[in-house]
């Protein structure tokens, strides 16, 4: 079933665990994510990002997401990830995403506020929740790069002015592949400060290769959702490459199994609570 993420993330916030956010880029990955969620009996966010538009359009993603989400035996949030265009995000709101992210984090603070507030007003009128980002999660960071940690006062003011439902914060993770082979250092002190000061769920981008212990600790300290993409895409690629002399059906099966297995690993790392342990009255609101 397709659900909204609002009550789900609030429950994760209270319970000290995180909900997995898995990006899909084709039918194989979407099917694998739902299979993993069903196997582990947990809810997930099934997400499409605007940056994948050249490979899979928003309409294709909506069709796949709505089909697999509706068929799923567990609750699925169909999420639009990193929407840089307000018009595209609003299109997603109107056509079936149950959660959306407007990402104006590269803009100046006031511009980020204005853009986010506009999308929030539009989405809330239509019953869809909104995620935004403040601070800036880098791309391919090395250990020596200066990441732009989210400032506590700015985060509080941003939430107050935008009325956004969840907030992506920067504590040292990176999108994509890290330049250094070392596990990144995360600023858990800053995360704890943000958790105490910000009244809405906090989410973490750039989870891939950020270290199992880091991600487990982040979930326990207040991160309610962790985004994973790069690790999954690489797992699918390596599985397919290993089947180079096999049939296309064997390649597809190998890709799906590899993604599903890694999904299940991250579900365990995030301590995601099984549906049987979540109170229905507070955890899940269906659409």
């Amino acid at each position: 079933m397709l659900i909204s993420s609002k009550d789900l993330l609030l429950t994760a916030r209270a319970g000290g665990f995180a909900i997995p956010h898995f990006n899909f880029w084709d039918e194989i990955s979407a099917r694998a994510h739902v299979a993993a969620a069903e196997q582990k009996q947990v809810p997930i966010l099934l997400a499409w990002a605007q940056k994948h538009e050249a490979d899979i359009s928003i309409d294709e993603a909506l069709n796949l997401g709505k089909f697999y989400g509706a068929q799923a035996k567990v609750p699925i949030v169909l999420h639009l990830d990193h929407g840089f265009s307000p018009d595209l995000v609003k299109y997603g709101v109107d056509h079936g995403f149950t959660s959306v992210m407007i990402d104006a984090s590269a803009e100046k603070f006031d511009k980020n506020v204005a853009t986010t507030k506009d999308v929030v007003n539009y989405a809330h009128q239509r019953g869809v929740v909104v995620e935004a980002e403040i601070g800036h999660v880098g791309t391919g960071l090395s250990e020596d790069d200066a990441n732009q940690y989210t400032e506590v006062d700015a985060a509080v003011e941003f939430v107050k002015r935008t009325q956004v439902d969840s907030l992506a914060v920067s504590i040292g993770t990176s999108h994509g592949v890290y330049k250094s082979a070392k596990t990144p250092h995360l600023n858990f002190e800053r995360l704890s400060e943000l958790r105490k000061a910000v009244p809405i769920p906090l989410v973490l981008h750039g989870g891939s290769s950020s270290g199992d212990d880091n991600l487990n600790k982040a979930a326990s300290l207040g991160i309610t959702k962790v985004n994973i993409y790069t690790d999954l895409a690489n797992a699918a690629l390596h599985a397919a490459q290993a089947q180079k002399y096999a049939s296309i059906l064997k390649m597809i099966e190998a890709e799906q199994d590899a993604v599903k297995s890694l999904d299940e690993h991250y579900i365990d790392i995030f301590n995601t609570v099984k549906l049987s342990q979540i109170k229905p009255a507070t955890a899940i609101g269906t659409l």
Side-chain angles (χ1 to χ4, degrees):
M1 74 185 90
L2 288 172
I3 68 164
S4 168
S5 64
K6 185 169 185 177
D7 290 341
L8 189 60
L9 294 188
L10 288 171
T11 301
R13 186 177 191 267
F17 62 92
I19 305 296
H21 169 294
F22 298 137
N23 286 88
F24 69 97
W25 54 93
D26 59 10
E27 183 178 359
I28 299 169
S29 53
R31 192 163 57 232
H33 297 330
V34 172
E38 291 181 335
Q39 178 68 33
K40 302 295 283 187
Q41 282 295 292
V42 299
I44 64 168
L45 279 84
L46 184 63
W48 171 84
Q50 184 178 347
K51 69 177 182 179
H52 296 140
E53 198 169 20
D55 302 311
I56 174 173
S57 72
I58 187 171
D59 290 320
E60 291 176 293
L62 278 163
N63 286 333
L64 283 173
K66 286 191 285 188
F67 175 79
Y68 285 110
Q71 297 291 321
K73 299 174 184 176
V74 294
I76 302 292
V77 179
L78 183 56
H79 181 70
L80 194 163
D81 184 32
H82 284 290
F84 302 106
S85 163
D87 288 341
L88 182 135
V89 175
K90 291 175 182 178
Y91 181 91
V93 167
D94 290 335
H95 289 84
F97 282 103
T98 63
S99 171
V100 297
M101 179 193 184
I102 178 65
D103 185 0
S105 61
E107 304 288 351
K108 297 292 187 181
F109 181 83
D110 286 342
K111 175 72 174 196
N112 191 356
V113 166
T115 302
T116 301
K117 185 175 181 179
D118 174 59
V119 170
V120 167
N121 290 340
Y122 188 89
H124 282 183
Q125 290 173 15
R126 293 156 178 81
V128 176
V129 296
V130 181
E131 173 187 330
E133 182 175 322
I134 185 171
H136 188 64
V137 179
T139 300
L141 293 177
S142 69
E143 190 176 14
D144 296 328
D145 285 320
N147 199 38
Q148 300 175 38
Y149 294 128
T150 299
E151 297 178 1
V152 177
D153 291 344
V156 171
E157 181 66 14
F158 184 85
V159 170
K160 180 180 178 181
R161 289 172 60 178
T162 63
Q163 295 299 299
V164 72
D165 299 288
S166 61
L167 188 66
V169 294
S170 177
I171 59 169
T173 56
S174 169
H175 291 121
V177 178
Y178 288 97
K179 295 176 182 177
S180 171
K182 296 180 181 178
T183 301
H185 171 76
L186 302 191
N187 190 335
F188 292 115
E189 181 179 355
R190 178 61 54 87
L191 173 57
S192 295
E193 293 170 352
L194 288 163
R195 172 62 176 82
K196 291 176 183 177
V198 177
I200 62 171
L202 304 177
V203 305
L204 186 67
H205 289 236
S208 289
S209 300
S210 290
D212 289 352
D213 289 342
N214 275 341
L215 297 178
N216 180 269
K217 185 173 181 178
S220 71
L221 291 178
I223 290 297
T224 64
K225 173 177 79 76
V226 181
N227 290 28
I228 304 290
Y229 164 65
T230 302
D231 281 355
L232 299 170
N234 286 338
L237 175 62
H238 296 154
Q241 290 174 333
Q243 298 290 323
K244 60 183 178 181
Y245 297 119
S247 68
I248 186 65
L249 293 179
K250 286 292 186 181
M251 292 178 67
I252 290 172
E253 181 181 3
E255 287 184 47
Q256 184 169 324
D257 287 348
V259 172
K260 178 176 178 288
S261 177
L262 190 53
D263 283 351
E264 292 175 5
H265 169 78
Y266 275 120
I267 289 168
D268 290 340
I269 294 301
F270 303 156
N271 289 326
T272 310
V273 172
K274 292 182 181 295
L275 292 172
S276 60
Q277 298 172 288
I278 297 178
K279 296 179 182 179
T282 60
I284 299 171
T286 57
L287 297 176

